[in-house]
Amino acid sequence: MKLSKIIMIVGAALLLALFVLPLWNITLEAPQYPEPIGMNIHINKIADANPNDIQNINLMNHYVGMKDIPTDMLEFKIFPVVIGTMALLGIIIGIVGKHKLFLLWFIVMSLFGTAGMYDFYKWEYNYGHNLKETAAIKFTNDDGTPMAYQPPLIGTKTILNFVAHSYPRSGAIALFGGMGLSLVAFFVGMKEAKKE
Amino acid sequence: MKTIKNIIYTLVAVLVLASCGNTSSKKKDSKSGALSGNAAEKVYVAPGEHDEYYAFVSGGFSGQLAVYGLPSARLFKVIPVFSVDAEKAYGFNEETKPMLNTSYGFVPWDDSHHPDISQTNGELDGRWVFINGNNTPRIARISLSTFETEEIIEVPNSAGNHSSSFVTENTEYVVAGTRFSVPIPQKDMPISEYKSNFKGALSFISVDQETGHMGIKFQLIMPGFDYDLSHPGRGKSHGWFFFTTYNTEEANSLLEVNASQNDKDYIAAVNWKKIEEYVNNGGGKKMPAKYAHNVYSDETHTATSTMMNEVLVVDPTEVPGAVYFLPTPKSPHGCDVDPSGEYIVGNGKLSADLTVHSFTRMQEAIEGKKFAGEAYGIPILNYEDVVAGVVKQPGLGPLHTEFDDKGNAYTTFFISSEVVKWKLGTWEVIDRKPTYYSVGHLMIPGGNSRKPTGKYLVAMNKITKDRYLPTGPELTQSAQLYDISGDKMELLSDFPTVGEPHYAAGCPADLIKDRSAKIFKLDENKHKYAATSESEAKVVREGNVVHIYMTMIRSHFAPDNIEGVQVGDKVYFHVTNLEQDFDVPHGISMIGANTSELLIMPGQTETFVWEPKQEGVWPFYCTDFCSALHQEMQGYVRVSAKGSSVPISYTLDGDPTDAE
Ligand SMILES: [Cu+2]
């Protein structure tokens, strides 16, 4: 089998790791939490980083009127289908072996990825801005607008006494690695085509 | 050529560094020598840092066990054991009331003296700590992962359960020796006929290695002396247990004089392995005896009390070679075996000297059948044949001895108020330091095991006089911390204690702290009346009994408003803390309740009973400042007249709900 095919198949198969590994992680640090609390975001669920973390994040957030971290979202249904389909498509394309299709797969995957990140941003925005009217404690910014508690899309940010970290996890590495491999497969495929 | 140069440079550099190291370490030594007076530095534990040792200090007449950190001497917790404790609802809530059940009924108090940490291969293992209740003879087992009392077993045929609770090398047994001899079985008889009619029971309580559950394996029915303290053999003497006696005169009145006549009392040496074998082969007699066995479960968060009705007793004369008496001057108190198991120190509290027996010599004397006589059929060995050495005139009123890791022994002297350090084998006094005042026991972490630590010594005093700010006629009792790492002891600090610091057990913090429970898992809560989510909260009437299945979480109760309760009802509040975060308890109390508040740990369920006496609307609230909205954590119970038609109803999440 051609090298490009193998790389493409491996790259596409790497996406399947997302069914096990977390895509993203948000961790909250504060002096009153000597062991930081956090959540791991998977394509089909949000999970405790350490036992009971989500319950404890919810309890802490309820003072300022933040809603509970969702246990079921439309995304949890869509993402597994998209990832599963793309992985399968990628493997089929790999077997077929047309390197131009590799590039097409990469572009489609990039579009999905961007859409996913945008969706994640929107969720974070809502989670941090959409506060309950009945919030016990209402903080405002200097300009009088209600304070928002949106975690960073990627990076580290201070929110009141918390330092929030938001970073990709092993699942994201598998995803980006897989996409990278499809690009590599494309260039290797191009070279192989020239040789022929 | 270049390589050789490099090697030379490296060598020179290493030499320079090495010599620098030497000089700097020398400087450091001399500096620390000059600063050795700085005791404050040695007990200072910086914010956020942990103490190096746990000290479990008995509360004496408070009936409790206090947990201190060493070297800081900070009090971390008072674990309720034999006494009710409103702070933790111990003995007040329905779950722990059975823990204080005895054959005499509910006894909410005791006099707790000697804690001892469980051992494996003669070394502390940090699983449990045992402690005795003196007054109504009991032994308690406390879990060192939850720091809660998990089990209490009553000891029948016993009185003044003082020579306990010491554990054998693998925690096979905890002993409970009686201080007072009594008629066995109890009966109405003239006290003046004490002699030869009263008996002393030495109880061997077996410990299940998996669960820790205790059971009285056998009771040795000994002559009617007073059995004061005891100690297990270890190493070569593993399998033996030693008990000091006083009042071998068997006096029953004015013991101060009448029990101080014999020049020598005894240390009773008991070969428990031999008796165990005898018992396992069907030896001993079962006799009726009523005693309570109380066990607390971490799964149901509930204790049960079972009344036992017989006990196996053993007559020592029927097991030849199992018990011997070692003559020991004079009314010995402490009975302490050194880490090697060879030396048995008898602290004759009325003796000018300190007597140390040799286990090897004892064995030889037994083999040679060199007996000086017998007492009630038990052979008495010759003093000269068993004594290993004598520490000459070390102080006044020796009470108790512990050991370090360097072959030294440390003895407290009650009358001369001091700790004396002496050497095992040479019996010479090395150092002495005053205590303030009237010291009883002392403790070296692990000093009661094969592997003592040699860093700190805690002396426990009965009197403080001028040591602290005065607080009326009653002053605190106290403990003192000494540094024993050097040749000379150094007093580091004084600290007040809860109740009487009768004795303590200590161990390195690393043995316990990582295994300490943080929460109880809600999904493992098997309490009969648990509500493990708000959807399970409800109020149920059964005749004139009302069960409230209540949950608590920051910052509300569910349900919070309850109606339909009537005067004369018996209302059970079964309250589950839904939190699953480390160190977030909630409390609850009800106006007019005749019990204490409840203090409920994350994932735990506790119950209290309230019997409303008046119509009205009565509030309850969270008693532990739990969160920013703690003050809002409250609710009401409406109480109507007896026979009223107001139905049971309650609010959940602000919505009214009718009871099913
Ligand atoms: Cu509370």
Side-chain angles (χ1 to χ4, degrees), chain B residues 394-569:
Chain B
L396 296 174
L399 278 188
H400 175 226
T401 302
E402 289 220 342
F403 309 90
D404 68 11
D405 55 345
K406 303 171 204 77
N408 299 306
Y410 301 78
T411 303
T412 48
F413 289 83
F414 181 77
I415 299 170
S416 54
S417 287
E418 58 186 334
V419 177
V420 173
K421 176 181 180 180
W422 50 276
K423 187 129 202 90
L424 283 161
T426 68
W427 324 119
E428 61 187 324
V429 170
I430 298 168
D431 188 25
R432 59 197 326 130
K433 280 282 178 301
T435 59
Y436 305 93
Y437 307 90
S438 297
V439 61
H441 284 259
L442 50 73
M443 181 274 278
I444 292 170
N448 202 18
S449 73
R450 283 175 81 168
K451 205 176 155 193
T453 58
K455 205 162 173 182
Y456 298 115
L457 180 154
V458 178
M460 285 156 270
N461 308 324
K462 314 294 182 198
I463 293 172
T464 48
K465 289 183 192 287
D466 64 336
R467 300 299 282 184
Y468 306 107
L469 286 174
T471 53
E474 197 206 352
L475 302 181
T476 183
Q477 299 202 4
S478 85
Q480 294 186 297
L481 180 70
Y482 294 82
D483 179 343
I484 55 164
S485 57
D487 290 339
K488 299 284 176 190
M489 294 178 276
E490 186 193 351
L491 176 61
L492 298 181
S493 78
D494 282 359
F495 58 100
T497 59
V498 178
E500 183 209 8
H502 193 94
Y503 180 45
C507 71
D510 290 339
L511 205 56
I512 294 171
K513 67 179 183 188
D514 297 334
R515 291 188 289 117
S516 183
K518 291 188 167 177
I519 57 166
F520 296 106
K521 286 185 187 153
L522 254 185
D523 50 20
E524 289 173 6
N525 182 327
K526 296 200 176 89
H527 191 289
K528 198 177 165 197
Y529 294 99
T532 55
S533 70
E534 286 190 8
S535 61
E536 291 172 26
K538 61 186 173 187
V539 182
V540 179
R541 175 180 282 284
E542 290 167 6
N544 70 337
V545 173
V546 176
H547 290 283
I548 303 171
Y549 296 70
M550 186 179 273
T551 65
M552 48 181 16
I553 197 160
R554 279 163 283 177
S555 315
H556 63 274
F557 295 101
D560 60 359
N561 282 338
I562 298 159
E563 303 198 356
V565 170
Q566 298 174 10
V567 171
D569 280 346

Side-chain angles (χ1 to χ4, degrees), chain B residues 598-627:
Chain B
L598 299 179
L599 187 67
I600 310 167
M601 299 306 121
Q604 196 174 28
T605 305
E606 291 188 26
T607 301
F608 73 98
V609 185
W610 178 53
E611 294 174 77
K613 308 272 188 315
Q614 297 173 55
E615 290 169 35
V617 179
W618 309 103
F620 57 86
Y621 68 98
C622 176
T623 51
D624 187 11
F625 209 115
C626 56
S627 68

Side-chain angles (χ1 to χ4, degrees), chain A residues 71-106:
Chain A
T71 47
D72 57 330
M73 292 201 292
L74 190 59
E75 284 86 340
F76 295 158
K77 293 197 178 72
I78 296 171
F79 286 177
V81 174
V82 171
I83 295 294
T85 311
M86 284 306 289
L88 196 69
L89 265 177
I91 292 167
I92 293 169
I93 289 170
I95 292 166
V96 172
K98 290 208 169 128
H99 69 270
K100 279 178 190 161
L101 286 179
F102 297 174
L103 185 65
L104 183 67
W105 186 89
F106 174 79

Side-chain angles (χ1 to χ4, degrees), chain B residues 168-174 205-207 209 238 272-273:
Chain B
T168 52
E169 194 154 283
N170 296 297
T171 321
E172 295 99 335
Y173 291 99
V174 181
I205 298 168
S206 59
V207 179
Q209 296 305 302
H238 176 51
W272 59 260
K273 278 205 170 156

Side-chain angles (χ1 to χ4, degrees), chain A residues 5 8 10 14 25 29 37-38 43 53 62 71 73 78 104-105 132 137 140 142 149 163 179 187 191:
Chain A
K5 283 178 151 188
M8 183 62 208
V10 169
L14 266 179
N25 170 279
E29 284 178 354
I37 48 180
I43 53 168
D53 275 2
H62 91 282
T71 47
M73 292 201 292
I78 296 171
L104 183 67
W105 186 89
K132 285 182 191 161
I137 307 170
T140 49
D142 291 343
Y149 305 94
V163 179
M179 288 170 66
F187 288 116
K191 259 191 190 168

Side-chain angles (χ1 to χ4, degrees), chain B residues 11 37 55 80 95 113 148 205 218 233 254 258 270 304 306 315 325 344 385 399 426 490 587 590 604:
Chain B
L11 273 176
E95 288 75 12
H113 273 203
E148 283 182 3
I205 298 168
F218 60 87
L254 198 62
N258 295 330
V270 176
T304 49
T306 311
D315 176 348
F325 286 133
I344 304 131
D385 289 338
L399 278 188
T426 68
E490 186 193 351
M590 185 73 223
Q604 196 174 28

